[in-house]
Amino acid sequence: MNYEKVREFENIIEKDYPNTCQMVVMKDNNIVYENYGCNCNQKSKLHIFSVTKSIISVLIGIAIDKGYIKSVDQRIIDFFPHYKIAPDEKTLQNITLKDMLTMTAPYKFKEEPYVEYFKSPNHLKFCLDLLGGSYKIGDFRYTPLIGPDIFSGIIQTSTGQSVLDFARENLFNPLGIEVDKNIVFKSAEEQFAFNESTNLSGWVSDEFGLNTAGWGLTLSAVDMAKIGQLYLNGGVANCKKVVSTDWIKKSTTHHSSFNDLMYGYLWWIIDDNSFAALGDGGNTLYVDKSQNLVVSITALFVPNAKEKIKLIKQYVKPAFED
């Protein structure tokens, strides 16, 4: 570790990223650096926003490995045989799991109806009702909140477990990650407080117990780093196969694009050697295969927070080069 370069990026974070709460760097399977702010410590849990999507990607892969889901080519409607499709809705019938994983599924809205979504007691039906429409399948369209909950419905329907229970059994427990409970908001004030909390362990769900898939999970930076290390280790943790190497490869391969940004299966592809999970506020899980390096950062939400990939590539990685 180059201490001079470490001090350099610490000064940059303090100046330009003051909402940063936890930062953990793992190299060659070991934690080599930790830093904490915002009155946080190693065990503090924060809302990781859209990093949740990449955790869902891991769970989808595990469900496929275990045979609960046949393949990414299954149609979305096949998972919900009791959902009634409007007679004039043709697009929905052809949307596949892969289309959704790559953010190339169409929706019926131009702008996400956030208020209506948060007020809805049934997030799955709300999202299914908006899937499809007149837009084209195959065009990249990133949907932060409305749509990803369909993944939760798929996991729940396929496995017979809630997303949180399935995650505990097949991902969290094998990695030594604790997520305490479902969190259901009774008011907007409770949701705002959740976004600012640093000591609440759980996963947001709707009134029917469906955990959110695009946001809503709280983890520590150490928790996220364990997931990054799992992917570096080919899906093995504590001598146990957690997720297949095949899924890791497929989910972190370039499948779709938006301008110069590349996307896999709910993971952002940075370049040939690195990929990342990114969330609002600058929450980041960055994995570099060539350097066997994981950088995990949690942060409190602030509007228009600066993304941290440039910071990691220009200042953090050089501090831990061999």
Side-chain angles (χ1 to χ4, degrees):
M1 184 165 57
N2 186 315
Y3 291 98
E4 183 177 342
K5 290 182 178 180
V6 168
R7 285 193 295 271
E8 182 180 15
F9 75 66
E10 286 179 342
N11 290 334
I12 292 171
I13 290 173
E14 184 177 354
K15 178 184 176 182
D16 296 336
Y17 306 85
N19 64 316
T20 300
C21 298
Q22 302 168 311
M23 181 172 175
V24 171
V25 178
M26 293 188 71
K27 186 172 176 65
D28 300 329
N29 284 291
N30 296 305
I31 294 177
V32 295
Y33 175 84
E34 296 176 79
N35 199 357
Y36 300 98
C38 309
N39 296 314
C40 290
N41 56 39
Q42 190 184 73
K43 295 184 178 180
S44 299
K45 305 273 191 175
L46 290 91
H47 180 198
I48 59 172
F49 291 89
S50 286
V51 175
T52 306
K53 294 180 178 68
S54 300
I55 310 303
I56 286 289
S57 177
V58 184
L59 297 178
I60 291 287
I62 293 171
I64 290 174
D65 292 340
K66 292 182 174 295
Y68 293 115
I69 297 172
K70 294 178 182 177
S71 79
V72 297
D73 295 318
Q74 283 185 262
R75 299 187 306 166
I76 295 300
I77 59 170
D78 292 339
F79 294 100
F80 309 105
H82 301 297
Y83 179 73
K84 294 182 179 180
I85 303 175
D88 59 343
E89 176 53 72
K90 305 297 182 182
T91 305
L92 177 55
Q93 299 183 40
N94 296 310
I95 296 172
T96 66
L97 179 55
K98 184 176 182 179
D99 296 327
M100 289 198 60
L101 287 167
T102 57
M103 290 286 177
T104 57
Y107 293 87
K108 299 171 185 174
F109 52 81
K110 289 185 178 180
E111 296 184 0
E112 288 193 285
Y114 294 122
V115 175
E116 291 82 358
Y117 167 81
F118 288 123
K119 289 182 177 180
S120 171
N122 188 332
H123 288 172
L124 176 58
K125 185 178 185 304
F126 187 89
C127 293
L128 283 171
D129 287 346
L130 292 173
L131 185 64
S134 60
Y135 293 100
K136 179 183 175 183
I137 298 174
D139 290 341
F140 187 88
R141 187 178 186 190
Y142 185 75
T143 50
L145 294 183
I146 299 168
D149 286 350
I150 294 171
F151 294 120
S152 295
I154 290 171
I155 292 170
Q156 189 168 290
T157 300
S158 301
T159 68
Q161 294 179 277
S162 72
V163 173
L164 179 51
D165 285 343
F166 183 76
R168 279 184 181 137
E169 180 179 334
N170 297 285
L171 179 62
F172 295 157
N173 289 348
L175 295 183
I177 294 172
E178 294 183 3
V179 179
D180 287 348
K181 61 184 178 181
N182 280 352
I183 299 170
V184 181
F185 299 128
K186 297 178 182 177
S187 67
E189 288 74 21
E190 286 188 3
Q191 183 177 338
F192 295 144
F194 169 77
N195 289 337
E196 297 175 357
S197 174
T198 60
N199 60 4
L200 184 60
S201 177
W203 198 331
V204 173
S205 74
D206 66 12
E207 295 179 12
F208 290 88
L210 185 83
N211 294 105
T212 52
W215 63 290
L217 176 62
T218 70
L219 293 177
S220 69
V222 171
D223 293 335
M224 290 201 300
K226 289 177 180 178
I227 292 169
Q229 192 64 55
L230 174 72
Y231 266 45
L232 273 183
N233 291 345
V236 176
N238 300 316
C239 300
K240 179 181 178 181
K241 193 73 170 180
V242 176
V243 62
S244 67
T245 306
D246 180 63
W247 179 257
I248 292 172
K249 182 178 180 180
K250 287 178 179 177
S251 61
T252 58
T253 296
H254 176 201
H255 291 285
S256 58
S257 302
F258 177 70
N259 295 330
D260 294 330
L261 300 174
M262 298 181 291
Y263 206 66
Y265 291 166
L266 305 179
W267 288 89
W268 293 98
I269 313 304
I270 308 303
D271 52 43
D272 289 341
N273 292 311
S274 59
F275 52 91
L278 304 174
D280 264 347
N283 286 278
T284 303
L285 172 57
Y286 177 93
V287 180
D288 188 304
K289 295 179 288 185
S290 64
Q291 206 168 324
N292 202 20
L293 186 78
V294 176
V295 181
S296 177
I297 300 172
T298 62
L300 293 173
F301 175 79
V302 292
N304 303 313
K306 296 176 68 174
E307 58 86 17
K308 292 187 172 67
I309 296 300
K310 183 178 179 181
L311 169 75
I312 292 170
K313 293 182 73 172
Q314 290 190 1
Y315 297 99
V316 178
K317 282 176 58 178
F320 300 95
E321 289 179 345
D322 296 325

